[in-house]
């Protein structure tokens, strides 16, 4: 994994995008171009001291730099991603030893409308550029496995879900009744995926985008709810319903004052009263939307009532609780405890399950918690583990037959070196022997490892 910070990654894209746009107004040596290019060089050289190359590009419409995926891009990221896709680039590799000349030429070629990626590559080779190389869409895909295709399809659906949720929130904020078309399509897609392979869906829920917590949390709760719904054996339509309820469960927060929503730490009694209204406001919003079933509104109303009915809204405590509400409540708690908030460190998936178990039978339905724990296995997807051969690996897929021996991706070798190309390894080998055993769960922040990047790429 890369040492590049999110801040540096964002800065690099903004500069690159700015320089590319500038090329259409100014000659290449103009200070308005040279200054961002020099800044990119400085930042890149710093990163390239500790790693041989920096990879950036677009995968399934999502812009990335190294392990950072930009699901909710800024305008400059969108512009750059759009330009790369239009020219059919899939990636750019900046290598140690890159020169200002390489970068200037690349950006000026990128800014020209009449050149595609293959022509840009040819021109760069002819001009002796060695510090930057390009990946072209047509180069790829041939070696893709079916599994890889499915994963990238899942990733694409995830980013569509984020976009759909963002639109719903935006509509409400600008006083419109949100349209449900996009979100219905996404839910249908994901429900089908949940039935095929709930583990892929669960691995998507490891994507944490701290800058866009509300959208990210909404999508994750939908994703986890659908995986659990499928694991419980529900039918397609029911899974779609529970997914929709998950996506929209906190939609009422659009009507809660931002200063309360973003307040770090404990809310005052009055602030909490305000926050509690989000279940009713959510129901109210959903009832006005077309194409969303009343059960979804009902599930949203009840997602904080609690199995023991000690939650809110108080007036609804005597009402029958929808099974959908209970599934969403489990998903909501699980995503909350695995996510970093301003005031709390995130828990790894295994510790998060212990936390969820504590709520079993009180706030959460005990049977559902048992099923959820069973679905997740002893080492849930996304857990970072130490093996008895000293390698560090991310749990990649569960092993239904033997929950202690999942399929992992080895990310650090026994000497603690990062593997450039993490290896997929089943811990259980054919004939009953095993590759290695898990000895411990490791905190990803101690190893500076972004587990989600290994699960979805
Ligand atoms: Fe909520
Ligand atoms: Fe929530």
């Amino acid at each position: 994994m890369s040492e590049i910070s999110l801040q540096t990654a964002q800065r690099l894209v903004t500069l690159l995008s700015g320089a590319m746009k500038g090329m259409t107004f100014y000659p290449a040596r103009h200070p308005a171009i040279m200054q961002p290019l020099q800044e990119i060089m400085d930042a890149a050289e710093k990163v390239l001291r500790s790693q041989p190359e920096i990879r950036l590009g677009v995968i399934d419409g999502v812009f990335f730099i190294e392990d950072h995926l930009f699901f909710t891009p800024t305008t400059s990221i969108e512009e750059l991603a759009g330009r790369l896709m239009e020219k059919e680039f899939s990636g750019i590799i900046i290598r140690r030893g890159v020169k200002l000349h390489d970068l200037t030429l690349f950006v000026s070629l990128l800014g020209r409308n009449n050149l595609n990626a293959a022509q840009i590559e040819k021109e760069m080779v002819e001009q002796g550029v060695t510090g930057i190389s390009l990946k072209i869409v047509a180069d790829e895909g041939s070696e893709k496995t079916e599994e890889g295709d499915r994963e990238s399809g899942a990733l694409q659906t995830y980013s569509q879900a984020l976009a759909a949720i963002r639109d719903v929130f935006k509509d409400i904020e600008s006083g419109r009744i949100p349209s449900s078309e996009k979100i219905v399509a996404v839910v249908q897609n994901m429900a089908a995926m949940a039935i095929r392979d709930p583990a892929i869906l669960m691995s998507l829920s490891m994507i944490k985008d701290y800058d866009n917590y509300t959208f990210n949390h909404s999508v994750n709760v939908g994703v986890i709810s659908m995986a659990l719904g499928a694991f419980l054996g529900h039918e397609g339509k029911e899974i779609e319903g529970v997914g929709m309820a998950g996506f929209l469960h906190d939609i009422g927060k659009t009507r809660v004052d931002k200063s309360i929503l973003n307040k770090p730490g404990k809310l005052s009694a009055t602030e909490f009263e305000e926050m509690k209204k989000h279940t009713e406001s959510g129901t109210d919003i959903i009832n006005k939307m077309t194409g969303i079933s009343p059960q979804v509104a009902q599930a949203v109303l009840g997602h904080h009532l609690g199995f023991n009915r000690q939650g809110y809204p108080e007036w609804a405590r005597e009402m029958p609780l929808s099974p959908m509400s209970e599934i969403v409540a489990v998903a909501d708690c699980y995503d909350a405890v695995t996510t970093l908030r301003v005031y709390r460190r995130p828990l790894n998936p295994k510790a998060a399950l212990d936390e969820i178990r504590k709520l079993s039978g009180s706030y959460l339905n005990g049977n559902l918690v048992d099923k959820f724990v069973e679905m997740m296995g002893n080492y849930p997807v996304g857990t970072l583990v130490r093996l008895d051969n000293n390698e560090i690996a991310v749990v990649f897929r569960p092993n239904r037959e033997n929950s202690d021996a999942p399929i992992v991706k080895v990310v650090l070798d026994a000497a603690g070196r990062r593997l450039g190309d993490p290896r997929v390894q089943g811990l259980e080998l054919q004939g009953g022997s095993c590759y290695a055993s898990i000895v411990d769960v490791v905190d990803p922040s101690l190893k500076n490892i972004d587990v989600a990047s290994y699960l979805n790429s």
Side-chain angles (χ1 to χ4, degrees), residues 268-371:
S268 72
T270 347
E271 288 166 338
F272 189 51
E273 283 309 312
E274 231 3 78
M275 179 67 106
K276 276 158 68 173
K277 291 184 190 156
H278 81 273
T279 50
E280 288 151 277
S281 315
T283 316
D284 187 40
I285 293 168
I286 295 167
N287 281 334
K288 290 190 183 127
M289 291 169 73
T290 49
I292 314 263
S293 87
Q295 282 102 306
V296 171
Q298 204 56 29
V300 169
L301 180 70
H303 80 276
H304 286 293
L305 269 176
F307 179 67
N308 56 8
R309 306 308 177 86
Q310 295 303 300
Y312 58 87
E314 283 83 353
W315 59 262
R317 284 180 179 173
E318 302 303 316
M319 280 169 62
L321 193 54
S322 131
M324 267 194 210
S325 265
E326 300 193 303
I327 295 180
V328 171
V330 173
D332 191 19
C333 288
Y334 181 76
D335 187 65
V337 291
T338 52
T339 305
L340 175 76
R341 301 301 305 276
V342 201
Y343 45 90
R344 214 208 47 230
R345 286 167 62 77
L347 295 180
N348 67 53
K350 202 167 158 58
L353 285 186
D354 292 338
E355 205 60 30
I356 298 296
R357 273 199 203 96
K358 288 185 196 156
L359 302 172
S360 179
S362 54
Y363 185 67
L364 300 175
N365 177 329
N367 290 334
L368 276 185
V369 171
D370 290 348
K371 278 287 175 193

Side-chain angles (χ1 to χ4, degrees), residues 54-74:
I54 303 169
R55 295 164 299 128
L56 56 132
V58 181
I59 175 167
D60 294 322
V62 181
F63 187 84
F64 71 90
I65 289 199
E66 293 290 317
D67 305 308
H68 304 289
L69 294 161
F70 295 90
F71 285 105
T72 40
T74 58

Side-chain angles (χ1 to χ4, degrees), residues 153-318:
L155 197 56
Q156 193 173 25
T157 313
Y158 189 92
S159 52
Q160 283 163 353
L162 267 184
I165 290 281
R166 202 170 28 166
D167 285 356
V168 170
F169 275 76
K170 264 193 200 151
D171 279 345
I172 298 168
E173 267 154 18
S174 43
R176 288 189 293 267
I177 294 172
S179 101
S180 50
E181 218 172 289
K182 270 199 209 161
I183 196 138
V184 167
V186 167
V187 150
Q188 287 173 346
N189 236 328
M190 280 198 173
M193 217 177 265
I195 294 169
R196 261 197 327 262
D197 190 351
I200 288 196
L201 265 202
M202 276 314 296
S203 73
L204 289 177
S205 78
M206 293 301 293
I207 296 172
K208 308 289 180 191
D209 180 350
Y210 299 115
D211 292 336
N212 294 287
Y213 174 73
T214 310
F215 306 142
N216 187 237
H217 171 67
S218 303
V219 173
N220 286 349
V221 172
V223 163
I224 300 166
S225 301
M226 278 186 263
L228 181 55
F231 188 75
L232 292 167
H234 287 310
E235 303 279 311
K237 280 282 161 230
E238 292 165 320
I239 300 173
E240 285 172 21
V242 82
M244 186 62 88
F247 280 162
L248 300 179
H249 78 285
D250 275 343
I251 191 79
K253 288 193 178 171
T254 47
R255 294 200 188 152
V256 176
D257 198 287
K258 287 245 178 344
S259 63
I260 299 177
L261 272 186
N262 302 326
K263 183 179 173 182
K266 220 171 158 30
L267 298 180
S268 72
T270 347
E271 288 166 338
F272 189 51
E273 283 309 312
E274 231 3 78
M275 179 67 106
K276 276 158 68 173
K277 291 184 190 156
H278 81 273
T279 50
E280 288 151 277
S281 315
T283 316
D284 187 40
I285 293 168
I286 295 167
N287 281 334
K288 290 190 183 127
M289 291 169 73
T290 49
I292 314 263
S293 87
Q295 282 102 306
V296 171
Q298 204 56 29
V300 169
L301 180 70
H303 80 276
H304 286 293
L305 269 176
F307 179 67
N308 56 8
R309 306 308 177 86
Q310 295 303 300
Y312 58 87
E314 283 83 353
W315 59 262
R317 284 180 179 173
E318 302 303 316

